[in-house]
Amino acid sequence: MSEINTLAGADAGPSAAEAAPEITFADLGLAPELLRALSDMGYSKPTPIQAKAIPLVISGKDIMGGAQTGTGKTAAFTLPILQRILPFASSSPSPAKHPVRALILAPTRELALQVFESVKDYSKHTPIRAMCAYGGVDIKPQIAELKKGVEVLVATPGRLLDHVESRSVSFNSVQALVLDEADRMLDMGFIPDVTRILKMLPAQRQSLLFSATFSDDIKKLADTMLQSPVLVEVARRNQVSETITHRVHPVSEWGKRGLLIKLLKSGEIRQCIVFMRTKQGCSRLTRELQRAGIHADAIHGDKSQLDRIKALDAFKAGQTHALIATDVAARGLDVDELPYVINYELPHVPEDYVHRIGRTGRAGKMGNAISLVSAHEVGYLVEIEKLIKRPIEQVEIAGFEPEPEYEYPPGNKRKRSPAPPPKAPLAHKPARHERSERRPSPRNPMIAADGFDFSKPYEEAPRGEVPDSPKPPAKADPHKPKRVVAALLGGLGRK
């Protein structure tokens, strides 16, 4: 497999940096309909990856694009694909005139919806039809829409295979395939599904693969689907945006929740996404923040699609202070000017740190990434620093110190000395009048130890209730009979 390496950005040299601002979308060979849509959205100059990738895709080249989130890579493949299928666009209502010509695969529902919205925005002045297919919702409306005909189909792999089983989609006319966030697709175990889909597509097609990070598995996948690809990178692999400020707060594992509440109530953090590793931890932390009076909501894979959309819309509208999310669910979240990302737990894979903090500092805006690190996570912190090639500032907050076992770097023999236990107050000998006052009064023999007064007449308490009991009222046994049952051989209880 031959490969052409094109590196855009700061490493492309001063001459390229000086020429990049002069390029406009009109210079990239886009159709007037697409330029009009870009103008309506206020876009006139492409980002580095758009300036490099759009002409290559229009010319029919296979692309292996390496771009971190927030660099405009969605437009880097949607615009040229729309340009290539525009000559086949038809205003006819016949479904036969609208076969699937471009297939875009995304790992999550949120990312698929984000790409779909971009396709709709860019193609609004053309007769091109687009559709988004994802799981978690009824498949029947999607089947009905596919029968009407769509040229651009954005889908998650699992739901796309559901449509294949339903015979509601045909790939005979597919001219272009896009794998977006390919690294996350591999992490989520979609390799078998993607392989099945690749075998169903025409051999003569254009293929594009975009990923924020590259690994050996990504290269193997590229070898199977790309032909003589052009490698386009806007920055060195796994490099984070320079507009993001990184900070670590060493804190004990049991002190994380209190520190997070303190940070959210400080007034500094207007809005943030808080990352957890598990769905159960996501829901638990959300409930704890809500009890603390913080407007928080969770977004993870166990939630229905409707609940996830509601949570995301409320967050974008500014009604939610903190959105608690897992790595998978947060893929595709595009929130304008998100100021903070908080890692409540560090990811086990350092590349996931790059994806997480990519939610902030987008499109050249400033962002902040805060990580709460306990003693057992120091190893993950060191791996992250190696990946991003920079040390991260560590700031301790009084009252939320880390465990005595916290060692940075790991293996450092100098551990933190545990805080000395508080000294017990010295006992003093009570005076004679104090001793006399402390003598217990004679106990009333009619009062039991549990407070029952034998001198009062007995009053039966209501059934199932215990007065002044901290436990909830006991429930009646549903299997216990409510009246006396007659004996087998006698007539007891029978009148």
Side-chain angles (χ1 to χ4, degrees):
M1 180 183 71
S2 62
E3 183 180 280
I4 305 173
N5 192 338
T6 304
L7 183 64
D11 297 325
S15 59
E18 294 174 0
E22 302 299 328
I23 299 178
T24 64
F25 281 110
D27 301 326
L28 301 180
L30 296 176
E33 296 88 344
L34 302 180
L35 294 176
R36 182 182 170 191
L38 290 169
S39 179
D40 293 344
M41 300 171 67
Y43 299 146
S44 59
K45 296 181 181 179
T47 63
I49 192 169
Q50 294 168 0
K52 291 292 181 181
I54 289 177
L56 294 172
V57 178
I58 291 178
S59 65
K61 299 284 187 180
D62 284 7
I63 296 294
M64 186 173 180
Q68 59 203 20
T69 56
T71 56
K73 63 181 175 63
T74 302
F77 62 78
T78 54
L79 286 172
I81 285 179
L82 291 173
Q83 174 72 26
R84 284 180 58 83
I85 67 176
L86 191 57
F88 304 94
S90 173
S91 57
S92 171
S94 172
K97 297 293 185 178
H98 303 275
V100 177
R101 300 188 185 277
L103 177 62
I104 303 175
L105 297 180
T108 64
R109 292 172 280 191
E110 285 74 22
L111 182 58
L113 285 170
Q114 177 187 333
V115 175
F116 171 65
E117 292 296 331
S118 297
V119 173
K120 284 204 309 180
D121 290 338
Y122 300 143
S123 62
K124 62 183 179 180
H125 298 302
T126 70
I128 295 176
R129 299 178 183 179
M131 175 192 161
C132 187
Y134 49 83
V137 295
D138 189 5
I139 196 175
K140 293 180 181 178
Q142 297 179 359
I143 294 177
E145 191 171 354
L146 280 172
K147 288 182 178 180
K148 296 178 182 178
V150 293
E151 282 93 346
V152 181
L153 177 59
V154 186
T156 55
R159 178 45 62 98
L160 183 61
L161 290 177
D162 292 340
H163 284 289
V164 171
E165 296 293 334
S166 302
R167 299 180 182 274
S168 56
V169 63
S170 173
F171 301 131
N172 294 333
S173 301
V174 171
Q175 302 175 13
L177 166 69
V178 180
L179 286 188
D180 194 15
E181 299 282 6
D183 50 349
R184 177 55 60 187
M185 205 172 291
L186 295 177
D187 293 341
M188 295 174 65
F190 287 146
I191 298 179
D193 292 347
V194 173
T195 302
R196 284 184 59 190
I197 294 171
L198 289 176
K199 293 179 180 179
M200 302 176 191
L201 302 180
Q204 298 297 325
R205 67 174 189 275
Q206 184 181 22
S207 300
L208 314 176
L209 184 149
F210 284 84
S211 175
T213 58
F214 288 138
S215 64
D216 293 338
D217 291 332
I218 293 291
K219 294 177 181 178
K220 291 179 182 178
L221 180 62
D223 290 339
T224 60
M225 63 173 288
L226 303 179
Q227 297 181 0
S228 304
V230 179
L231 177 60
V232 179
E233 294 181 278
V234 298
R236 294 301 178 188
R237 299 179 186 181
N238 302 322
Q239 182 177 341
V240 296
S241 174
E242 296 294 335
T243 61
I244 300 176
T245 301
H246 306 257
R247 186 166 77 245
V248 163
H249 291 309
V251 60
S252 62
E253 187 67 31
W254 55 87
K256 283 188 175 183
R257 182 182 61 182
L259 178 56
L260 178 61
I261 294 174
K262 177 182 176 66
L263 292 174
L264 294 178
K265 290 188 174 182
S266 64
E268 175 190 357
I269 301 177
R270 174 176 52 85
Q271 203 175 32
C272 67
I273 295 179
V274 181
F275 281 99
M276 301 283 293
R277 283 197 296 263
T278 64
K279 294 174 285 190
Q280 293 81 5
C282 221
S283 299
R284 184 169 56 250
L285 180 62
T286 302
R287 292 191 298 268
E288 293 169 349
L289 293 179
Q290 290 172 347
R291 282 196 291 265
I294 297 171
H295 295 285
D297 205 346
I299 179 170
H300 52 72
D302 284 348
K303 281 201 164 189
S304 66
Q305 180 63 19
L306 181 60
D307 290 339
R308 292 168 72 169
I309 293 176
K310 286 182 178 179
L312 184 56
D313 289 344
F315 186 71
K316 289 182 176 181
Q319 302 171 3
T320 304
H321 187 181
L323 184 65
I324 320 301
T326 57
D327 293 298
V328 173
R331 278 303 180 95
L333 293 183
D334 188 8
V335 182
D336 293 336
E337 300 183 6
L338 178 67
Y340 282 87
V341 165
I342 298 178
N343 294 296
Y344 190 86
E345 298 170 320
L346 285 184
H348 291 173
V349 181
E351 285 81 4
D352 286 342
Y353 180 83
V354 178
H355 292 296
R356 288 182 176 187
I357 67 173
R359 304 301 111 196
T360 185
R362 300 168 73 91
K365 295 182 174 63
M366 301 303 296
N368 299 274
I370 298 176
S371 301
L372 309 184
V373 180
S374 57
H376 73 279
E377 295 176 303
V378 175
Y380 302 138
L381 175 61
V382 172
E383 293 299 321
I384 290 171
E385 290 179 330
K386 289 180 181 178
L387 180 70
I388 65 177
K389 295 180 174 59
R390 69 176 69 180
I392 301 178
E393 178 189 15
Q394 299 192 24
V395 179
E396 288 190 20
I397 296 181
F400 299 95
E401 290 78 10
E403 303 96 333
E405 295 80 15
Y406 188 92
E407 298 180 6
Y408 182 86
N412 187 359
K413 296 182 179 180
R414 295 182 58 186
K415 294 186 179 181
R416 298 172 178 269
S417 57
K423 296 181 179 180
L426 297 176
H428 67 282
K429 186 177 181 180
R432 178 172 296 182
H433 68 279
E434 293 180 356
R435 292 198 299 269
S436 63
E437 291 176 357
R438 293 181 183 176
R439 291 177 182 175
S441 59
R443 186 172 65 86
N444 188 349
M446 299 300 293
I447 304 298
D450 60 356
F452 183 80
D453 191 351
F454 288 94
S455 63
K456 294 182 179 180
Y458 173 72
E459 295 180 0
E460 183 179 5
R463 183 178 297 274
E465 296 184 5
V466 182
D468 301 329
S469 174
K471 299 181 180 180
K475 296 181 180 180
D477 188 356
H479 304 289
K480 186 176 180 179
K482 296 182 180 180
R483 62 182 179 83
V484 180
V485 180
L488 181 62
L489 299 178
L492 299 179
R494 191 185 297 272
K495 293 185 179 180

